[in-house]
Amino acid sequence: MYYETCCSQISIDEWNQLMKGARKASYKRLVQRIKRELPELYNALGLNFYNPFWEQCQQTRTHYILVSSAIEYFIHK
């Protein structure tokens, strides 16, 4: 698992490709996994604090999509 990009660093075509087939994912499980496998990202995004966008967390076949501060972070599985 590794951080790939965020929505502000890609074109709309790339975003559409990454979002293709997206479905709901468990925010709690994803944050626990990020804390364990990507502690630098966990700390940088302040995932230990309340996130009002937690319900928008999704996943595709290849990526987890974490929404924090209204920014979509694409994390390769």
Side-chain angles (χ1 to χ4, degrees):
M1 188 163 107
Y2 61 90
Y3 168 76
E4 189 169 314
T5 190
C6 75
C7 63
S8 66
Q9 298 173 332
I10 58 176
S11 70
I12 191 67
D13 292 331
E14 292 170 310
W15 182 87
N16 283 325
Q17 189 65 28
L18 288 171
M19 293 297 288
K20 189 174 184 178
R23 57 186 169 86
K24 287 260 186 204
S26 170
Y27 176 77
K28 185 177 179 179
R29 288 184 188 159
L30 179 55
V31 168
Q32 289 173 346
R33 190 165 176 195
I34 291 171
K35 184 177 182 179
R36 186 176 61 248
E37 296 183 31
L38 302 170
E40 304 86 16
L41 183 62
Y42 178 87
N43 291 326
L45 296 179
L47 295 177
N48 56 323
F49 298 108
Y50 175 72
N51 178 3
F53 302 96
W54 68 272
E55 291 180 329
Q56 297 177 24
C57 183
Q58 299 181 48
Q59 67 179 331
T60 65
R61 220 173 28 83
T62 58
H63 290 83
Y64 292 111
I65 304 158
L66 173 73
V67 181
S68 180
S69 300
I71 297 174
E72 294 161 326
Y73 296 93
F74 295 92
I75 302 166
H76 199 277
K77 291 184 175 179

Coordinates of all heavy atoms in Angstrom, one line a residue:
M1 N 0.8 -1.2 0.0 CA 0.0 0.0 0.0 C 0.9 1.2 0.0 O 1.9 1.3 0.8 CB -0.9 0.0 1.3 CG -1.9 1.0 1.3 SD -3.2 0.7 2.5 CE -2.8 1.9 3.7
Y2 N 0.6 2.2 -0.9 CA 1.4 3.4 -0.9 C 0.5 4.6 -1.4 O -0.5 4.4 -2.2 CB 2.6 3.3 -1.8 CG 2.3 3.0 -3.3 CD1 2.1 4.0 -4.2 CD2 2.2 1.6 -3.7 CE1 1.9 3.7 -5.5 CE2 2.0 1.3 -5.0 CZ 1.8 2.3 -5.9 OH 1.5 2.0 -7.2
Y3 N 0.8 5.8 -1.0 CA 0.1 7.0 -1.4 C 0.5 7.3 -2.8 O 1.7 7.3 -3.2 CB 0.5 8.2 -0.5 CG 0.1 9.5 -1.1 CD1 -1.2 9.9 -1.0 CD2 1.0 10.4 -1.7 CE1 -1.7 11.1 -1.5 CE2 0.6 11.6 -2.2 CZ -0.7 12.0 -2.1 OH -1.2 13.2 -2.6
E4 N -0.5 7.5 -3.7 CA -0.2 7.8 -5.1 C -0.3 9.2 -5.5 O 0.6 9.8 -6.0 CB -1.1 6.9 -6.0 CG -0.7 7.0 -7.4 CD -1.5 5.9 -8.3 OE1 -1.5 4.8 -7.9 OE2 -1.9 6.3 -9.3
T5 N -1.5 9.8 -5.2 CA -1.7 11.2 -5.6 C -3.0 11.7 -4.9 O -3.6 11.0 -4.2 CB -1.9 11.4 -7.1 OG1 -1.9 12.7 -7.5 CG2 -3.1 10.7 -7.6
C6 N -3.3 13.0 -5.1 CA -4.5 13.6 -4.6 C -5.2 14.3 -5.8 O -4.6 14.5 -6.8 CB -4.3 14.5 -3.4 SG -3.6 16.1 -3.8
C7 N -6.5 14.6 -5.6 CA -7.3 15.2 -6.7 C -6.8 16.5 -7.2 O -7.1 16.8 -8.4 CB -8.8 15.3 -6.2 SG -9.0 16.4 -4.8
S8 N -6.1 17.2 -6.4 CA -5.6 18.5 -6.9 C -4.3 18.4 -7.8 O -3.9 19.4 -8.4 CB -5.3 19.4 -5.7 OG -4.2 18.9 -5.0
Q9 N -3.8 17.2 -7.9 CA -2.5 17.0 -8.7 C -2.8 16.3 -10.0 O -1.8 16.0 -10.7 CB -1.5 16.2 -7.8 CG -1.1 17.0 -6.6 CD -0.3 16.1 -5.7 OE1 -0.3 14.9 -5.7 NE2 0.6 16.7 -4.9
I10 N -4.0 16.0 -10.3 CA -4.3 15.3 -11.5 C -5.4 16.0 -12.4 O -6.1 16.8 -11.9 CB -4.7 13.8 -11.2 CG1 -6.0 13.8 -10.3 CG2 -3.6 13.0 -10.6 CD1 -6.6 12.4 -10.0
S11 N -5.5 15.6 -13.6 CA -6.5 16.2 -14.5 C -7.8 15.5 -14.2 O -7.9 14.4 -13.6 CB -6.1 16.0 -16.0 OG -6.2 14.6 -16.3
I12 N -8.9 16.1 -14.8 CA -10.2 15.5 -14.6 C -10.3 14.1 -15.3 O -11.0 13.2 -14.8 CB -11.3 16.5 -15.1 CG1 -12.7 16.0 -14.7 CG2 -11.3 16.6 -16.6 CD1 -13.0 16.0 -13.2
D13 N -9.6 13.9 -16.4 CA -9.6 12.6 -17.1 C -9.0 11.6 -16.2 O -9.5 10.4 -16.1 CB -8.9 12.7 -18.4 CG -9.7 13.5 -19.4 OD1 -11.0 13.6 -19.3 OD2 -9.1 14.2 -20.3
E14 N -7.8 11.9 -15.6 CA -7.2 11.0 -14.7 C -8.0 10.7 -13.4 O -8.1 9.5 -13.0 CB -5.8 11.6 -14.2 CG -4.8 11.7 -15.3 CD -3.6 12.4 -14.9 OE1 -3.7 13.6 -14.4 OE2 -2.4 11.9 -15.1
W15 N -8.7 11.7 -12.9 CA -9.6 11.5 -11.8 C -10.7 10.6 -12.1 O -11.0 9.7 -11.4 CB -10.1 12.9 -11.4 CG -11.0 12.8 -10.2 CD1 -10.7 12.9 -8.9 CD2 -12.5 12.7 -10.2 NE1 -11.8 12.8 -8.0 CE2 -12.9 12.7 -8.8 CE3 -13.4 12.6 -11.2 CZ2 -14.2 12.5 -8.5 CZ3 -14.8 12.5 -10.8 CH2 -15.1 12.4 -9.5
N16 N -11.3 10.8 -13.3 CA -12.4 9.9 -13.7 C -11.9 8.4 -13.9 O -12.6 7.5 -13.5 CB -13.0 10.3 -15.1 CG -13.9 11.5 -14.9 OD1 -14.6 11.6 -13.9 ND2 -13.9 12.4 -15.9
Q17 N -10.7 8.3 -14.4 CA -10.2 6.9 -14.5 C -10.0 6.3 -13.1 O -10.3 5.1 -12.9 CB -8.9 7.0 -15.3 CG -8.3 5.6 -15.6 CD -9.2 4.8 -16.6 OE1 -9.9 5.4 -17.4 NE2 -9.2 3.5 -16.5
L18 N -9.4 7.1 -12.2 CA -9.2 6.5 -10.8 C -10.5 6.3 -10.1 O -10.5 5.3 -9.2 CB -8.3 7.5 -10.0 CG -6.8 7.6 -10.4 CD1 -6.1 8.7 -9.7 CD2 -6.1 6.3 -10.1
M19 N -11.5 7.0 -10.4 CA -12.8 6.9 -9.7 C -13.7 5.8 -10.3 O -14.7 5.4 -9.7 CB -13.6 8.2 -9.6 CG -12.9 9.3 -8.8 SD -12.8 8.8 -7.1 CE -14.5 9.0 -6.6
K20 N -13.3 5.3 -11.4 CA -14.1 4.3 -12.2 C -14.4 3.1 -11.3 O -13.5 2.4 -10.8 CB -13.4 3.9 -13.5 CG -14.3 3.1 -14.4 CD -13.6 2.8 -15.7 CE -14.5 2.1 -16.6 NZ -13.8 1.9 -17.9
G21 N -15.7 2.8 -11.1 CA -16.0 1.6 -10.3 C -16.0 1.8 -8.8 O -16.0 0.8 -8.0
A22 N -15.9 3.0 -8.3 CA -15.7 3.3 -6.9 C -17.0 2.9 -6.1 O -18.1 3.1 -6.6 CB -15.4 4.8 -6.7
R23 N -16.8 2.3 -5.0 CA -17.9 2.0 -4.1 C -17.5 2.3 -2.6 O -16.3 2.6 -2.4 CB -18.2 0.5 -4.2 CG -17.0 -0.4 -3.9 CD -17.3 -1.9 -4.2 NE -16.2 -2.7 -4.2 CZ -15.6 -3.3 -3.1 NH1 -16.2 -3.1 -1.9 NH2 -14.6 -4.0 -3.2
K24 N -18.4 2.3 -1.7 CA -18.2 2.7 -0.3 C -17.1 1.8 0.3 O -17.0 0.6 -0.1 CB -19.5 2.5 0.5 CG -20.5 3.6 0.2 CD -20.4 4.6 1.3 CE -21.5 5.6 1.1 NZ -21.3 6.8 1.7
A25 N -16.4 2.4 1.2 CA -15.4 1.7 1.9 C -15.5 2.1 3.4 O -16.0 3.1 3.7 CB -14.0 2.0 1.4
S26 N -14.9 1.2 4.3 CA -15.0 1.5 5.7 C -13.9 2.5 6.1 O -12.7 2.2 5.9 CB -14.8 0.3 6.5 OG -14.6 0.6 7.9
Y27 N -14.3 3.7 6.5 CA -13.3 4.8 6.9 C -12.5 4.3 8.0 O -11.3 4.4 8.0 CB -14.1 6.0 7.2 CG -13.2 7.2 7.7 CD1 -12.4 7.9 6.8 CD2 -13.1 7.4 9.1 CE1 -11.6 8.9 7.3 CE2 -12.2 8.4 9.5 CZ -11.5 9.2 8.7 OH -10.7 10.2 9.1
K28 N -13.1 3.7 9.0 CA -12.4 3.3 10.2 C -11.3 2.2 9.9 O -10.2 2.4 10.4 CB -13.4 2.7 11.2 CG -12.8 2.3 12.5 CD -13.9 1.8 13.5 CE -13.3 1.4 14.8 NZ -14.3 0.9 15.7
R29 N -11.6 1.3 9.1 CA -10.6 0.2 8.7 C -9.5 0.8 7.9 O -8.4 0.5 8.1 CB -11.3 -0.9 7.9 CG -12.2 -1.8 8.8 CD -12.7 -2.9 8.0 NE -13.7 -3.7 8.7 CZ -14.6 -4.4 8.2 NH1 -14.7 -4.6 6.9 NH2 -15.4 -5.1 8.9
L30 N -9.9 1.8 7.0 CA -8.8 2.4 6.2 C -7.9 3.2 7.0 O -6.7 3.1 6.9 CB -9.5 3.2 5.1 CG -8.5 4.0 4.1 CD1 -7.5 3.0 3.5 CD2 -9.2 4.8 3.1
V31 N -8.4 4.0 7.9 CA -7.6 4.8 8.8 C -6.7 3.9 9.7 O -5.5 4.2 9.8 CB -8.4 5.8 9.7 CG1 -7.6 6.4 10.8 CG2 -9.0 6.8 8.8
Q32 N -7.2 2.8 10.2 CA -6.4 1.9 11.0 C -5.2 1.3 10.1 O -4.1 1.2 10.6 CB -7.2 0.7 11.5 CG -8.1 1.2 12.6 CD -9.1 0.1 13.0 OE1 -9.3 -0.9 12.3 NE2 -9.8 0.3 14.2
R33 N -5.5 1.0 8.9 CA -4.5 0.4 8.0 C -3.5 1.5 7.6 O -2.3 1.2 7.6 CB -5.2 -0.1 6.7 CG -4.2 -0.9 5.9 CD -4.9 -1.7 4.8 NE -3.9 -2.4 4.0 CZ -4.1 -3.0 2.9 NH1 -5.3 -3.0 2.4 NH2 -3.1 -3.5 2.2
I34 N -3.9 2.7 7.4 CA -3.0 3.8 7.1 C -2.1 4.0 8.3 O -0.9 4.2 8.1 CB -3.7 5.1 6.7 CG1 -4.4 4.9 5.3 CG2 -2.8 6.3 6.7 CD1 -5.3 6.0 4.9
K35 N -2.6 4.0 9.5 CA -1.9 4.3 10.7 C -0.8 3.2 10.8 O 0.4 3.5 11.2 CB -2.8 4.2 11.9 CG -2.1 4.5 13.2 CD -3.0 4.6 14.4 CE -2.3 4.9 15.6 NZ -3.3 5.0 16.8
R36 N -1.1 2.0 10.5 CA -0.2 0.8 10.6 C 0.9 0.8 9.5 O 2.1 0.6 9.7 CB -0.9 -0.5 10.6 CG -0.1 -1.7 10.9 CD -1.0 -3.0 11.0 NE -1.7 -3.2 9.7 CZ -3.0 -3.2 9.6 NH1 -3.8 -2.8 10.6 NH2 -3.6 -3.4 8.4
E37 N 0.4 1.1 8.2 CA 1.3 0.9 7.1 C 1.9 2.2 6.5 O 3.0 2.2 5.9 CB 0.6 0.2 5.9 CG 0.2 -1.2 6.3 CD -0.5 -1.9 5.2 OE1 -0.2 -1.6 4.0 OE2 -1.4 -2.8 5.4
L38 N 1.3 3.3 6.8 CA 1.7 4.6 6.3 C 1.7 5.7 7.4 O 0.9 6.7 7.3 CB 0.9 5.1 5.1 CG 0.8 4.2 3.9 CD1 -0.2 4.7 2.9 CD2 2.2 4.1 3.2
P39 N 2.4 5.5 8.5 CA 2.3 6.4 9.6 C 2.6 7.9 9.3 O 2.0 8.8 9.9 CB 3.3 5.8 10.6 CG 4.2 5.0 9.9 CD 3.4 4.5 8.7
E40 N 3.5 8.1 8.3 CA 3.8 9.5 7.9 C 2.5 10.2 7.3 O 2.2 11.4 7.7 CB 4.9 9.6 6.9 CG 6.2 8.9 7.4 CD 6.2 7.4 7.0 OE1 5.4 6.9 6.2 OE2 7.1 6.7 7.6
L41 N 1.8 9.5 6.5 CA 0.6 10.0 5.9 C -0.5 10.2 7.0 O -1.2 11.2 7.0 CB 0.1 9.1 4.8 CG -1.2 9.6 4.0 CD1 -0.9 10.9 3.3 CD2 -1.6 8.5 3.1
Y42 N -0.6 9.3 7.9 CA -1.5 9.4 9.0 C -1.3 10.6 9.8 O -2.2 11.4 10.1 CB -1.4 8.1 9.9 CG -2.3 8.1 11.1 CD1 -3.6 7.6 11.0 CD2 -1.9 8.6 12.3 CE1 -4.4 7.6 12.1 CE2 -2.7 8.6 13.4 CZ -4.0 8.1 13.3 OH -4.8 8.1 14.4
N43 N -0.1 10.9 10.1 CA 0.3 12.1 10.9 C 0.1 13.4 10.1 O -0.4 14.4 10.6 CB 1.7 12.0 11.4 CG 1.8 11.0 12.5 OD1 0.9 10.7 13.3 ND2 2.9 10.3 12.6
A44 N 0.5 13.3 8.8 CA 0.4 14.5 7.9 C -1.0 15.0 7.7 O -1.3 16.2 7.6 CB 1.1 14.3 6.6
L45 N -1.9 14.0 7.6 CA -3.3 14.4 7.4 C -4.1 14.6 8.7 O -5.3 14.9 8.6 CB -4.0 13.3 6.6 CG -3.5 13.1 5.1 CD1 -4.2 11.9 4.4 CD2 -3.6 14.3 4.3
G46 N -3.5 14.3 9.8 CA -4.2 14.5 11.1 C -5.4 13.6 11.2 O -6.4 14.0 11.7
L47 N -5.2 12.3 10.9 CA -6.3 11.4 10.9 C -6.7 10.9 12.3 O -7.7 10.2 12.4 CB -6.0 10.1 10.0 CG -5.8 10.4 8.5 CD1 -5.4 9.2 7.8 CD2 -7.0 11.1 8.0
N48 N -6.0 11.4 13.3 CA -6.4 11.2 14.7 C -7.5 12.1 15.1 O -8.1 12.0 16.2 CB -5.2 11.2 15.6 CG -4.5 12.5 15.6 OD1 -4.3 13.1 14.5 ND2 -4.0 13.0 16.7
F49 N -7.8 13.1 14.3 CA -8.9 14.1 14.6 C -10.1 13.8 13.8 O -10.1 13.0 12.8 CB -8.4 15.5 14.3 CG -7.2 16.0 15.1 CD1 -6.0 16.1 14.5 CD2 -7.4 16.2 16.4 CE1 -4.9 16.5 15.2 CE2 -6.3 16.6 17.2 CZ -5.0 16.8 16.6
Y50 N -11.3 14.3 14.3 CA -12.5 14.1 13.6 C -12.5 14.6 12.1 O -11.9 15.7 11.8 CB -13.7 14.9 14.3 CG -15.0 14.8 13.6 CD1 -15.7 13.6 13.6 CD2 -15.5 15.9 12.9 CE1 -16.9 13.5 12.9 CE2 -16.7 15.8 12.2 CZ -17.4 14.6 12.2 OH -18.6 14.5 11.6
N51 N -13.0 13.8 11.2 CA -13.1 14.1 9.8 C -14.5 14.2 9.4 O -15.2 13.1 9.3 CB -12.3 13.0 9.0 CG -12.3 13.3 7.5 OD1 -12.9 14.3 7.1 ND2 -11.8 12.3 6.8
P52 N -15.0 15.4 9.1 CA -16.4 15.5 8.7 C -16.7 14.8 7.3 O -17.9 14.7 6.9 CB -16.7 17.0 8.6 CG -15.4 17.6 8.4 CD -14.4 16.7 9.1
F53 N -15.7 14.4 6.6 CA -15.9 13.8 5.2 C -15.7 12.3 5.3 O -15.6 11.7 4.2 CB -14.8 14.4 4.3 CG -14.9 15.9 4.1 CD1 -14.1 16.7 4.9 CD2 -15.9 16.5 3.3 CE1 -14.2 18.1 4.8 CE2 -16.0 17.9 3.2 CZ -15.2 18.7 3.9
W54 N -15.8 11.7 6.5 CA -15.5 10.3 6.6 C -16.5 9.4 5.8 O -16.1 8.3 5.4 CB -15.5 9.9 8.1 CG -16.9 10.0 8.7 CD1 -17.4 11.1 9.3 CD2 -17.8 8.9 8.9 NE1 -18.7 10.8 9.8 CE2 -19.0 9.5 9.5 CE3 -17.9 7.6 8.5 CZ2 -20.1 8.7 9.8 CZ3 -19.0 6.9 8.7 CH2 -20.1 7.4 9.4
E55 N -17.7 9.9 5.6 CA -18.7 9.0 4.9 C -18.4 9.0 3.4 O -19.0 8.1 2.7 CB -20.1 9.6 5.1 CG -20.6 9.4 6.5 CD -22.0 9.9 6.7 OE1 -22.4 10.9 6.0 OE2 -22.7 9.3 7.5
Q56 N -17.5 9.8 2.9 CA -17.2 9.8 1.5 C -16.0 8.9 1.1 O -15.6 8.8 -0.1 CB -16.9 11.2 1.0 CG -18.1 12.2 1.2 CD -17.8 13.6 0.8 OE1 -16.8 13.9 0.0 NE2 -18.5 14.5 1.4
C57 N -15.5 8.1 2.0 CA -14.4 7.2 1.8 C -14.9 6.1 0.8 O -16.0 5.6 1.0 CB -14.0 6.6 3.1 SG -12.6 5.5 3.0
Q58 N -14.1 5.8 -0.2 CA -14.4 4.8 -1.2 C -13.3 3.9 -1.5 O -12.1 4.2 -1.1 CB -14.9 5.5 -2.5 CG -16.2 6.4 -2.3 CD -16.6 7.0 -3.6 OE1 -16.7 6.3 -4.6 NE2 -16.8 8.3 -3.5
Q59 N -13.5 2.9 -2.4 CA -12.4 2.1 -2.9 C -12.8 1.6 -4.3 O -14.0 1.5 -4.6 CB -12.1 0.9 -2.0 CG -13.2 -0.1 -1.9 CD -12.9 -1.2 -1.0 OE1 -11.7 -1.6 -0.8 NE2 -13.8 -1.8 -0.3
T60 N -11.8 1.3 -5.1 CA -11.9 0.7 -6.4 C -11.1 -0.6 -6.3 O -10.6 -1.0 -5.3 CB -11.4 1.6 -7.5 OG1 -10.0 1.8 -7.3 CG2 -12.1 3.0 -7.5
R61 N -11.0 -1.3 -7.4 CA -10.3 -2.5 -7.5 C -8.8 -2.3 -7.1 O -8.2 -3.1 -6.5 CB -10.3 -3.1 -8.9 CG -10.5 -4.5 -9.0 CD -10.8 -5.0 -10.4 NE -10.2 -4.2 -11.5 CZ -9.0 -4.3 -12.0 NH1 -8.1 -5.1 -11.5 NH2 -8.6 -3.6 -13.0
T62 N -8.3 -1.1 -7.4 CA -6.8 -0.8 -7.3 C -6.5 0.2 -6.2 O -5.3 0.3 -5.8 CB -6.2 -0.4 -8.6 OG1 -6.9 0.8 -9.0 CG2 -6.3 -1.5 -9.6
H63 N -7.5 1.0 -5.8 CA -7.2 2.2 -4.9 C -8.2 2.3 -3.8 O -9.4 2.0 -3.9 CB -7.2 3.5 -5.7 CG -6.1 3.6 -6.6 ND1 -6.1 3.1 -7.9 CD2 -4.9 4.3 -6.5 CE1 -4.9 3.4 -8.5 NE2 -4.2 4.1 -7.7
Y64 N -7.7 2.8 -2.7 CA -8.5 3.4 -1.6 C -8.6 4.9 -1.9 O -7.6 5.5 -2.3 CB -7.9 3.1 -0.2 CG -7.9 1.7 0.2 CD1 -6.7 1.0 0.3 CD2 -9.1 1.0 0.5 CE1 -6.6 -0.3 0.7 CE2 -9.0 -0.3 0.9 CZ -7.8 -1.0 1.0 OH -7.8 -2.3 1.4
I65 N -9.8 5.5 -1.6 CA -10.0 6.9 -1.8 C -10.4 7.5 -0.5 O -11.5 7.3 0.0 CB -11.0 7.2 -2.9 CG1 -10.6 6.5 -4.2 CG2 -11.2 8.7 -3.1 CD1 -11.7 6.2 -5.2
L66 N -9.5 8.2 0.2 CA -9.7 8.8 1.4 C -10.0 10.2 1.2 O -9.2 10.9 0.5 CB -8.4 8.6 2.3 CG -8.5 9.4 3.6 CD1 -9.4 8.7 4.6 CD2 -7.1 9.5 4.2
V67 N -11.1 10.7 1.8 CA -11.5 12.1 1.7 C -11.3 12.8 3.0 O -11.8 12.4 4.0 CB -12.9 12.3 1.2 CG1 -13.3 13.8 1.1 CG2 -13.2 11.6 -0.1
S68 N -10.4 13.8 3.0 CA -10.1 14.5 4.2 C -9.9 16.0 3.8 O -9.2 16.3 2.8 CB -8.8 14.0 4.8 OG -8.5 14.7 6.0
S69 N -10.5 16.9 4.5 CA -10.5 18.3 4.2 C -10.9 18.6 2.8 O -10.4 19.4 2.1 CB -9.1 18.9 4.4 OG -8.7 18.7 5.8
A70 N -12.0 17.8 2.3 CA -12.5 17.9 1.0 C -11.5 17.7 -0.1 O -11.7 18.1 -1.3 CB -13.2 19.3 0.8
I71 N -10.5 16.9 0.2 CA -9.5 16.5 -0.8 C -9.5 15.0 -0.9 O -9.5 14.3 0.2 CB -8.1 17.0 -0.4 CG1 -8.1 18.5 -0.4 CG2 -7.1 16.5 -1.4 CD1 -6.8 19.2 0.0
E72 N -9.5 14.5 -2.1 CA -9.5 13.0 -2.3 C -8.1 12.6 -2.4 O -7.3 13.0 -3.3 CB -10.3 12.6 -3.5 CG -11.8 12.9 -3.4 CD -12.5 13.0 -4.7 OE1 -11.9 13.4 -5.7 OE2 -13.7 12.6 -4.7
Y73 N -7.7 11.7 -1.5 CA -6.3 11.1 -1.6 C -6.4 9.7 -2.1 O -7.2 8.8 -1.6 CB -5.7 11.1 -0.2 CG -5.5 12.4 0.4 CD1 -6.5 13.1 1.2 CD2 -4.3 13.1 0.1 CE1 -6.3 14.3 1.7 CE2 -4.1 14.4 0.6 CZ -5.1 15.0 1.4 OH -4.9 16.3 1.9
F74 N -5.7 9.4 -3.1 CA -5.7 8.1 -3.8 C -4.5 7.2 -3.3 O -3.4 7.6 -3.5 CB -5.6 8.2 -5.3 CG -6.8 8.9 -5.9 CD1 -6.9 10.3 -6.1 CD2 -8.0 8.2 -6.2 CE1 -8.0 10.9 -6.6 CE2 -9.1 8.8 -6.7 CZ -9.1 10.2 -6.9
I75 N -4.9 6.2 -2.6 CA -3.9 5.3 -2.0 C -3.9 3.9 -2.7 O -5.0 3.3 -2.7 CB -4.1 5.1 -0.5 CG1 -4.1 6.5 0.1 CG2 -3.1 4.2 0.1 CD1 -4.7 6.5 1.5
H76 N -2.9 3.6 -3.4 CA -2.8 2.3 -4.1 C -2.8 1.1 -3.1 O -2.1 1.2 -2.1 CB -1.5 2.3 -5.0 CG -1.7 1.2 -6.1 ND1 -1.4 -0.1 -5.9 CD2 -2.0 1.4 -7.4 CE1 -1.6 -0.7 -7.0 NE2 -2.0 0.1 -7.9
K77 N -3.6 0.1 -3.4 CA -3.8 -1.0 -2.5 C -2.5 -1.9 -2.5 O -1.8 -1.9 -3.4 CB -4.9 -1.9 -3.0 CG -6.3 -1.2 -2.7 CD -7.4 -2.2 -3.1 CE -8.7 -1.6 -2.7 NZ -9.8 -2.4 -3.1

